[in-house]
Structure formats: structure tokens, C-alpha cells
Amino acid sequence: MEELLKVTVNRSNQQVISARDLYDGLNIARRFSLWVSDNFDDFEENADFTTVRKSTVVNNGAKRELQDYALTISMAKELCMMSHSEQGKVYRRYLIELERKWNDPAEIVKRGYAILQDENSRLKIENTQMQPKALFADAVSVSHTSILVGDLAKMIKQNGVDIGARRLFNWLREHHYLISRKGADYNSPTQYSMERELFEIKESTHINSDGVTVTTKTPKVTGKGQQYFINKFLNDQSA
């Protein structure tokens, strides 16, 4: 079927055409504004038509903004009848065929499938973007106990940040969460970390091969600390 009018689909999933295109196609003799004022009174704005702007190029090559209207197919058919012309009959038959194809069950199913595909694609993108945050939140929300720094590194890596235990220890020392000075307190939480309850120290004792009782101190990340560092690595990739 030869295209007599350009048809678009509006946000309400309705077919609409340009009033100016229909006006030109019907070869209306009087001015566009007069044709509109004479014929649009029986129609409802935002139901049968909406006001839009249309750009056109004038003789000097400049663009000019024109008043236009997006017409529903039903309104366009009535305007064709109101023209009382042979051209109006031709355009009305064209619009009836457009409407028939649009309402064909196979076309309805095809449009519905396309909408579902677009919606699924959008949801997949949103889920992909939110998945790391959701996984981090789930991991921390169930954490009521302190964990080793190595375990924290595994949690972070499982959620897309490339880091291991050694690199995480280095990062914690470089950012003054753990003591970097060599000695008995090496890798112990700094005062800054302890005041903010990001770490706690787990002490344990054992007897070495010489029969001497040895006390070891192990830094462990609290639930609050897990939340803090997880958000840090998730939201600040410069970390």
C-alpha cells in the first residue's frame, strides 16, 4: 500500500498523523489556521488531538517553527469526510486500511511481544546495575559476627571488585585503617578504626614448641566495618 501519510505512535500507543500533512493531502484551499478553527470544535483536545510543533525549512534555508496537531486516526477519518471531496474519500479509505492492519490480532500480538521484549531488556539492565549493591547489602545484612580481613576480601571480589587478601591488607594500611609500622602492633587496627568500631581484636593463646605461652592478636572486621568497607569499594572505585 502506497504511503499517503506518515503515521507515528504516541505515548499512549495510538497511531497519530500530522494535521498539516492531512491538510496538504486534502488540498484544502483556505489557510491552515482557518481550517483548524472551522473543524476542530467538535473534537476534544488531548483525546482526539494534541498540540505539537513542527519544523520546516524556508527558502533561505532557515528553520521555522509551525503550529501543528497530532490527530488520532478516528479524528482524521472524520476530517476526511467533512472535506466532502474525492481526495477526502481516498484518504479516508487509506486510514481505514491502516486502522484495520493496526487492529489485526497478529499485529496486536506482535506489538505486545515487542513491548515485553523492551521491558525485559530494561529490567535486565536495571538488575545488572543493581546486582552488586543488592549482593553487598544481602551479605552485610546477615553478618552479625566479625570476620577476617581475608574473608572480607573474598566478599568484595565475589561482587566484582578485583582484590585479594594481600592487596586489601595493603590498602587498609595505606589508608590508615591498620598500623603499617613494623613491630608488635603491625596490622593491628589504628585508633581511628577502633573509635569507629570498624575492627575488633581477637586474642588467642597457644603454647609453642618451647613450651612458652604465646598470645596472638588478630584484627577482625565488625559488622559495621563490613558495611563501611563494602560501601567504600562499591561506590568509590578509586579505592
Side-chain angles (χ1 to χ4, degrees), residues 21-54:
D21 287 352
L22 181 62
Y23 167 83
D24 292 337
L26 295 176
N27 296 320
I28 304 298
R30 60 191 183 281
R31 290 202 314 270
F32 176 74
S33 58
L34 290 177
W35 176 71
V36 169
S37 61
D38 289 344
N39 293 279
F40 278 39
D41 286 345
D42 293 331
F43 300 98
E44 184 179 350
E45 187 170 5
N46 296 324
D48 300 307
F49 68 93
T50 55
T51 302
V52 296
R53 303 292 292 178
K54 182 177 182 179

Side-chain angles (χ1 to χ4, degrees), residues 148-191:
L148 297 171
V149 172
D151 293 328
L152 177 63
K154 290 177 183 178
M155 288 174 58
I156 295 173
K157 188 170 185 178
Q158 286 171 354
N159 289 279
V161 180
D162 186 17
I163 196 166
R166 182 177 297 179
R167 288 175 59 188
L168 181 56
F169 266 110
N170 288 338
W171 185 89
L172 291 169
R173 288 193 296 268
E174 289 172 0
H175 290 79
H176 311 295
Y177 295 105
L178 296 180
I179 295 173
S180 59
R181 182 181 63 256
K182 295 290 185 179
D185 292 330
Y186 182 67
N187 273 347
S188 293
T190 61
Q191 184 176 353

Side-chain angles (χ1 to χ4, degrees), residues 133 136 161 228-239:
K133 291 184 179 181
F136 276 139
V161 180
Y228 175 86
F229 291 116
I230 280 169
N231 287 332
K232 189 79 171 173
F233 278 90
L234 178 64
N235 298 316
D236 184 6
Q237 292 303 311
S238 64

Side-chain angles (χ1 to χ4, degrees), residues 15 27 69 80 84 141 145 170-172 174 180 215 217 220 226 233:
Q15 287 183 302
N27 296 320
Y69 304 89
C80 288
H84 302 294
S141 65
T145 59
N170 288 338
W171 185 89
L172 291 169
E174 289 172 0
S180 59
T215 300
K217 297 181 180 180
K220 301 191 76 173
Q226 293 167 52
F233 278 90

